Amino acid sequence: MNAPAAHWDEIGRRIMRDADTLAQYTETAPLITRTYLTPQHRAAAMQLAQWMLEAGMTVRGDAVGNVIGRYEGLAPGAPALATGSHYDSVRNAGKYDGNLGILLPIACVDAWNRSGRRFAHAIEVIGFAEEEGVRFKATLLGSRAAAGTFDMAALDNLDSDGVSMRDAIDGAALGFGSVDVMRAAYAREALLAFVEVHIEQGPVLLNENLPLGIVTAISGATRFMVEMEGLAGHAGTVPMGSRRDAAAAAAEITLFVEQRCSGAPGLVGTVGQFNVPDGAANVVPGRAAFSIDIRAGDDLLRRAAVEDVLRKINAIAARRGVPAHVHKTHEADSVPCAPWLQNQLRQALRDAGLPLRDLPSGAGHDAMAMAAVADVAMLFVRCGNGGISHHPAEIMSAEDAAHAARVFSMFVENFQESHVS
């Protein structure tokens, strides 16, 4: 779309306004928390559906709560170039993680619709209902359903109130039931590709003063929840050598995760949750529970680290007399972005007069799951405050939103269906 700068500036401002509006749908005002199938989550879905309709799209939902807007091509029923991201959030989140990748293409479709422009292909904007895994400790639920790889065993996962995912879906008035989840899957022939626009959630673009970057691959990840079962005792009467301290065992494992995942480029390990249930200042901890998250763009590197960590857990548990119960909650291989799509994004950046920057994604995204049903690509957008994300201090600028909208529009308008290198 050869539009003046003022056009893109207005689209950038609209994206920021819509992000502010969507932030009002939260369980923890004034902070943002929007977890899967809560009333606030469903209200956000309705807001997205309204914006899609106003932009000239037909709107449908599915059995997991995904919201899909379709902007028809010149020929009805044409295969679609799909885009989108997730509208759930972590607890006390920022405004742009996930949301940007839905709001930006809605704004672009609205502009095309107002000018009467359509393409040989359809465009589908997907608001994925769940990506973060906060409520039911299972991630990428929306995109896995769309890709046909949803793990039906996850329907038995319970939230903190003992509600199963199955019951949450069946009670959400989606127009479907949990038995219909697999019907949410796209047929491969229905999609030409999937392209996700997302904030970087890191400092690379910010540090290099670049507005946009092209993702080359999404790192694979392995996650565990671990519970250490020790023996509670009085802090003043149990000798140090006789203790079966669950928290100390968990802390030793935490330090090993840090040690093992340091020094290898691209490998990272995190213990993001650490809990001592029923803990007290004068009690030797009898139980401790914690999470482990290990990621790398190289799957062999990640798997080797995971194996070492699991061996160390067993060794520490045996030495300290504190049994470990390990439950794997997530496993995803790294996903390369399709070179033919990367090349078309690079051309769009050139056409927009912007510098090129390729970079990997250390965070997981819906594009990882969608790779099972279509070739994928990602466009990263700079975020501020040192690249902080998953936090209320997460920021981006209207100017960068405008740059991203312009590049995304150029990509769509010049999209070549064949795999041109």
Side-chain angles (χ1 to χ4, degrees), residues 338-382:
W340 68 281
L341 293 171
Q342 291 185 57
N343 288 339
Q344 293 189 49
L345 281 173
R346 291 189 188 100
Q347 188 59 53
L349 279 164
R350 293 188 194 98
D351 292 343
L354 295 172
L356 301 183
R357 178 62 158 95
D358 292 351
L359 70 167
S361 172
H365 299 288
D366 289 299
M368 295 183 76
M370 292 302 290
V373 73
D375 283 353
V376 301
M378 291 192 71
L379 180 68
F380 266 174
V381 184
R382 170 173 54 191

Side-chain angles (χ1 to χ4, degrees), residues 142-368:
S143 46
R144 289 192 191 281
T149 59
F150 187 93
D151 180 4
M152 296 296 282
L155 292 172
D156 295 322
N157 289 12
L158 304 179
D159 68 9
S160 59
D161 294 322
V163 177
S164 72
M165 187 193 305
R166 185 188 314 278
D167 288 343
I169 290 174
D170 290 342
L174 298 173
F176 303 88
S178 56
V179 295
D180 300 311
V181 167
M182 297 310 293
R183 291 173 52 193
Y186 277 89
R188 180 171 286 274
E189 61 270 18
L191 294 179
L192 300 172
F194 177 82
V195 181
E196 184 171 2
V197 181
H198 205 285
I199 59 169
E200 181 196 348
Q201 299 182 283
V204 174
L205 296 175
L206 180 67
N207 290 346
E208 297 182 13
N209 195 30
L210 298 172
L212 306 175
I214 296 169
V215 177
T216 54
I218 305 169
S219 292
T222 306
R223 296 178 193 156
F224 297 96
M225 289 300 299
V226 184
E227 183 169 344
M228 308 303 295
E229 183 182 347
L231 182 65
H234 194 289
T237 62
V238 181
M240 296 300 291
S242 302
R243 296 186 177 193
R244 294 168 53 196
D245 187 328
E252 186 177 351
I253 294 166
T254 298
L255 291 174
F256 180 78
V257 170
E258 179 184 51
Q259 173 194 339
R260 178 60 181 81
C261 296
S262 298
L267 175 66
V268 293
T270 305
V271 173
Q273 295 175 310
F274 196 105
N275 184 31
V276 181
D278 307 319
N282 61 348
V283 176
V284 177
R287 286 193 303 141
F290 59 99
S291 63
I292 299 175
D293 182 314
I294 297 175
R295 307 186 191 206
D298 183 327
D299 288 331
L300 292 178
L301 182 65
R302 171 177 55 86
R303 289 174 187 142
V306 168
E307 290 174 3
D308 286 347
V309 167
L310 291 175
R311 278 196 294 267
K312 193 68 171 182
I313 290 173
N314 289 334
I316 291 171
R319 172 166 48 81
R320 288 180 170 270
V322 180
H325 306 283
V326 181
H327 174 57
K328 183 185 289 187
T329 59
H330 178 76
E331 177 80 24
D333 288 346
S334 61
V335 173
C337 292
W340 68 281
L341 293 171
Q342 291 185 57
N343 288 339
Q344 293 189 49
L345 281 173
R346 291 189 188 100
Q347 188 59 53
L349 279 164
R350 293 188 194 98
D351 292 343
L354 295 172
L356 301 183
R357 178 62 158 95
D358 292 351
L359 70 167
S361 172
H365 299 288
D366 289 299
M368 295 183 76

